[in-house]
Amino acid sequence: MAPNLALDLEGGTQLILTPVTEDGSEVTDEDVQQAIEIIRQRVDASGVSEAEITSQGDQNIVVGLPGTPSEETLDLVR
């Protein structure tokens, strides 16, 4: 039996997303937090554990997925 390694030791995939509004208006902190919650729900529903979803700077969203995620999981995040 071996312990499960965290993303920093196991390796994985990291996506950096920059949200854009459809009408060209400025993206607010509230918009970013709402996007993070939606992404978190999608990732959790796909069965991926230990995903790290955070904001970076003013508008970027960083999604860290352990191991090698499936293409379907990556599409859910995008």
Side-chain angles (χ1 to χ4, degrees), residues 9-77:
L9 296 176
E10 179 181 319
T13 301
Q14 186 177 53
L15 302 168
I16 300 176
L17 308 170
T18 303
V20 178
T21 60
E22 291 181 1
D23 62 1
S25 62
E26 187 175 329
V27 176
T28 65
D29 287 338
E30 184 178 309
D31 294 332
V32 171
Q33 291 308 314
Q34 183 178 13
I36 288 172
E37 283 306 311
I38 291 169
I39 294 168
R40 187 180 317 281
Q41 290 171 5
R42 290 179 180 179
V43 170
D44 289 348
S46 72
V48 174
S49 61
E50 301 295 326
E52 296 178 6
I53 306 166
T54 60
S55 61
Q56 177 186 52
D58 291 338
Q59 296 183 355
N60 289 337
I61 299 171
V62 179
V63 181
L65 301 170
T68 305
S70 69
E71 194 62 36
E72 290 130 6
T73 301
L74 293 175
D75 287 340
L76 284 174
V77 171

